[in-house]
Amino acid sequence: MKYRAEIDGLRAVAVVPVILFHAGFDTFSGGYVGVDVFFVISGYLITTILLEDMEHGRFSLLNFYERRARRILPALFFVMIASIPFAWMWMLPDQMKDFAKSLVAVSLFASNILFARESGYFAPLAEEKPLLHTWSLAVEEQYYLLFPVFLILVWRFGCNRVFWTIAVLAALSLLLAEWGWRNEPLINFYFTPSRAWELFAGSLAAFIVQRRGVQTNNVLSLLGLLAIGFAVFAYDDTVPFPSVYALVPVMGVVLLILYASADTWAARLLSTRALVGVGLISYSAYLWHQPLFAFARIKGFHSSAVLGGLAVAAICLAVLSWRYVEQPFRNKSMVSRTNIFALSVSGLVAFSLLGYAGHRADGFKSRLSEDQVAFLNHFENDLPEWRYFMHLGLIEKYWAACNFYDIEAFRAGAATTIPVNQISPDCTADTGDQDQLFIWGDSHAQQFTHGVRESFGDSFAIRQIASSGCNPKIVMQDSATDYCARSNFKAISHITETKPKIVLVAQAQNHDVDHFDRLVGHLRQLGVSKVVIMGPTPQWDIDLPKILVRDLDDVPRRLAFYRRLESRETNENLRDRFGADDRVIFVDVIDAFCDDTGCLVYFGDDVAEGITSWDYGHLTPIASEYLARRMGSRLTDRDAIKD
């Protein structure tokens, strides 16, 4: 196969946005599409190799799998080995148990299946999984295992029929992805059948290049580059993926493959020494970045400066592993076929056994003291039991019956964006002559429900629509596929019909003051007397119980080190805009819990029972009650809520 420098440059265009996206740089909000770029490149390169071998009658499955083993496994094993000591030192048992499972899954080329069962790619906890990124390797490895066999079976029907068969399979895969993001978003994101069309797009491009060669077209090749750039900078985690939206970066890569000959402007740009250099080490860079970021976050380092530095470190480590691991193992004179297969099998077996041992040993709990184990067991909340939530009675105290998110599907491991058919009638029941206080937002609105009901239930009829993960927005059309759209539509409809005296709005993050200003104006037009805007809660870089368990013998009443500065900045912006607004009661939640020495971490004498947050920032019922008492007469004072 003729070397194309622009393809290596394209690898750089893929890997850098992925790394910066995972580092948390908002500018690269769609950087995750770099993985899709890799899929198309892989489909193109592998199909090109297979076509050339088949047309010259030299194809061998053994040779093919040997090349894949040399390319993928040595660097992967090296990064896995390097990750294990840090996992042992820094991971708590539940994290270590998950890491152990991922060792087994990676060894079985099935990590995409594992992570589809555990959490969403964009979920906060996903950031603490060192091997999360191997899901894309699993997709490619499954493709490598099956696609050559498929070609062998259909090759006898002729090249043209093979091409159209792949085209039909690609179309079916894309249709599956379109169905999947609406019905099974987690499975859709991770599983090969809904990703296969991206690899097949590269395969189809390989057939075309094989027949016509690479064409020269400056306009189309630049359009391809712009399409990738558009997706990187314009997309974010709200874009359903994969779906037809993925056609933008995928077709961008296809255009570059087909029309970026060496003479085009796009190819010249991609063939620059810097981009080609990064492209050559892109595989190792991709392998290194996620463990570095995950372990930093586990230790409580979330700042852009730290993660930006680790992004640079990933590139530096990639240079070393490319030079001293990737290159030697690709050299057949240094490592024979027998040895590469022996090392591959030995490594896969060893990692599987270690992972199995870690899983059986509950994440090697013996590393901790009995008190630490008991403390963590108190907060154990694995699905589907949700033992800690049940202990707190959190399902009832959050009024989960007013949540359009399908909690039962989530608990069963089948998370979906499809809303529940209906919520409890109590959520929007007629209030008679009693003034209504309506609670609206996401789970950070739900967390205030218990305290508000305990403190103000005699003064107001409390009604609620608050759905997990759904910021309060003005939505005028119902949806059967998007639970957030339905939640907000139903909330607006209820407010329009009943005109509550007070509407309390709250959300976890992304508090845009201009959006809240428009929201307040709209609610006032609907007849709402007063809007209560809840500021963000104190938020921690890692789950609060995981912070406290490391030094149980000396837990301070207040803690400052792990606080997320972003929540303070958000709070200040909201206070500056709404603190003196007579349309609004602004509740400074951070001020209620924090002072110059830090934020309250527990009440009373029992840390486990009195803890203020069970995760990164959701209030426990005892903390919700405390906050409601602090709010006091601001809600019950009729002078404060006059029309």
Side-chain angles (χ1 to χ4, degrees), residues 106-123:
V106 172
S107 302
L108 298 176
F109 310 140
S111 58
N112 59 329
I113 299 173
L114 171 68
F115 294 126
R117 293 173 57 86
E118 289 187 342
S119 65
Y121 183 71
F122 302 106

Side-chain angles (χ1 to χ4, degrees), residues 284-300:
S284 281
Y286 182 76
L287 289 177
W288 278 113
H289 84 281
Q290 178 63 17
L292 291 175
F293 294 162
F295 287 122
R297 285 168 170 138
I298 286 170
K299 291 296 288 181

Side-chain angles (χ1 to χ4, degrees), residues 126-201:
E127 295 181 340
E128 297 179 7
K129 297 179 182 294
L131 300 180
L132 176 69
H133 60 327
T134 61
W135 75 268
S136 63
L137 300 184
V139 170
E140 290 194 4
E141 287 157 353
Q142 291 158 19
Y143 169 78
Y144 297 152
L145 286 171
L146 298 176
F147 188 67
V149 177
F150 162 77
L151 275 186
I152 292 172
L153 294 175
V154 301
W155 189 252
R156 63 180 180 273
F157 297 113
C159 192
N160 194 51
R161 290 186 177 179
V162 173
F163 175 90
W164 288 110
T165 300
I166 294 173
V168 170
L169 292 174
L172 292 174
S173 174
L174 177 56
L175 289 173
L176 179 63
E178 272 295 294
W179 177 89
W181 76 260
R182 293 177 172 87
N183 296 278
E184 297 288 350
L186 271 183
I187 293 176
N188 184 62
F189 187 92
Y190 285 108
F191 274 26
T192 301
S194 54
R195 291 284 186 173
W197 68 272
E198 300 175 358
L199 291 149
F200 286 150

Side-chain angles (χ1 to χ4, degrees), residues 248-275:
V248 174
V250 167
M251 294 311 298
V253 181
V254 170
L255 288 175
L256 285 165
I257 290 172
L258 297 180
Y259 296 105
S261 68
D263 295 329
T264 58
W265 299 325
R268 290 174 183 173
L269 174 62
L270 292 171
S271 299
T272 56
R273 180 174 296 183
L275 287 178

Side-chain angles (χ1 to χ4, degrees), residues 64 90 101 171 180 306 342 362 391 432 545 557 581:
F64 176 80
W90 294 344
K101 288 192 291 186
V306 170
D362 285 331
H391 166 73
R557 183 70 62 179
D581 190 330

Side-chain angles (χ1 to χ4, degrees), residues 384-401:
E385 295 87 0
W386 258 353
R387 283 196 285 269
Y388 179 67
F389 281 6
M390 296 306 170
H391 166 73
L392 284 186
L394 208 61
I395 305 299
E396 295 76 20
K397 291 176 180 177
Y398 268 24
W399 273 62

Side-chain angles (χ1 to χ4, degrees), residues 15-275:
V15 77
V16 171
V18 170
I19 293 174
L20 295 177
F21 168 75
H22 286 149
F25 290 98
D26 292 337
T27 303
F28 295 85
S29 58
Y32 56 86
V33 304
V35 173
D36 306 87
V37 174
F38 276 128
F39 284 156
V40 182
I41 293 173
S42 292
Y44 166 69
L45 294 176
I46 293 306
T47 305
T48 299
I49 292 170
L50 292 172
L51 288 177
E52 290 182 355
D53 285 352
M54 286 185 164
E55 287 181 349
H56 291 87
R58 60 172 184 252
F59 174 73
S60 164
L61 268 179
L62 193 62
N63 288 339
F64 176 80
Y65 292 142
E66 177 191 351
R67 287 197 298 265
R68 292 301 89 205
R70 290 181 185 275
R71 173 77 173 107
I72 295 171
L73 297 181
L76 176 61
F77 287 173
F78 184 54
V79 172
M80 292 168 71
I81 290 170
S83 299
I84 290 170
F86 295 98
W88 181 271
M89 290 187 294
W90 294 344
M91 281 184 154
L92 295 172
D94 62 332
Q95 296 169 319
M96 188 66 177
K97 187 174 182 179
D98 286 343
F99 178 73
K101 288 192 291 186
S102 69
L103 289 176
V104 177
V106 172
S107 302
L108 298 176
F109 310 140
S111 58
N112 59 329
I113 299 173
L114 171 68
F115 294 126
R117 293 173 57 86
E118 289 187 342
S119 65
Y121 183 71
F122 302 106
L125 284 179
E127 295 181 340
E128 297 179 7
K129 297 179 182 294
L131 300 180
L132 176 69
H133 60 327
T134 61
W135 75 268
S136 63
L137 300 184
V139 170
E140 290 194 4
E141 287 157 353
Q142 291 158 19
Y143 169 78
Y144 297 152
L145 286 171
L146 298 176
F147 188 67
V149 177
F150 162 77
L151 275 186
I152 292 172
L153 294 175
V154 301
W155 189 252
R156 63 180 180 273
F157 297 113
C159 192
N160 194 51
R161 290 186 177 179
V162 173
F163 175 90
W164 288 110
T165 300
I166 294 173
V168 170
L169 292 174
L172 292 174
S173 174
L174 177 56
L175 289 173
L176 179 63
E178 272 295 294
W179 177 89
W181 76 260
R182 293 177 172 87
N183 296 278
E184 297 288 350
L186 271 183
I187 293 176
N188 184 62
F189 187 92
Y190 285 108
F191 274 26
T192 301
S194 54
R195 291 284 186 173
W197 68 272
E198 300 175 358
L199 291 149
F200 286 150
S203 296
L204 294 173
F207 275 87
I208 296 171
V209 170
Q210 194 78 357
R211 183 176 304 172
R212 297 169 43 196
V214 181
Q215 302 296 298
T216 300
N217 191 311
N218 277 312
V219 173
L220 291 178
S221 57
L222 282 175
L223 181 62
L225 201 54
L226 289 172
I228 297 170
F230 172 81
V232 167
F233 297 112
Y235 286 4
D236 58 25
D237 58 10
T238 65
V239 176
F241 235 73
S243 65
V244 292
Y245 288 97
L247 280 169
V248 174
V250 167
M251 294 311 298
V253 181
V254 170
L255 288 175
L256 285 165
I257 290 172
L258 297 180
Y259 296 105
S261 68
D263 295 329
T264 58
W265 299 325
R268 290 174 183 173
L269 174 62
L270 292 171
S271 299
T272 56
R273 180 174 296 183
L275 287 178

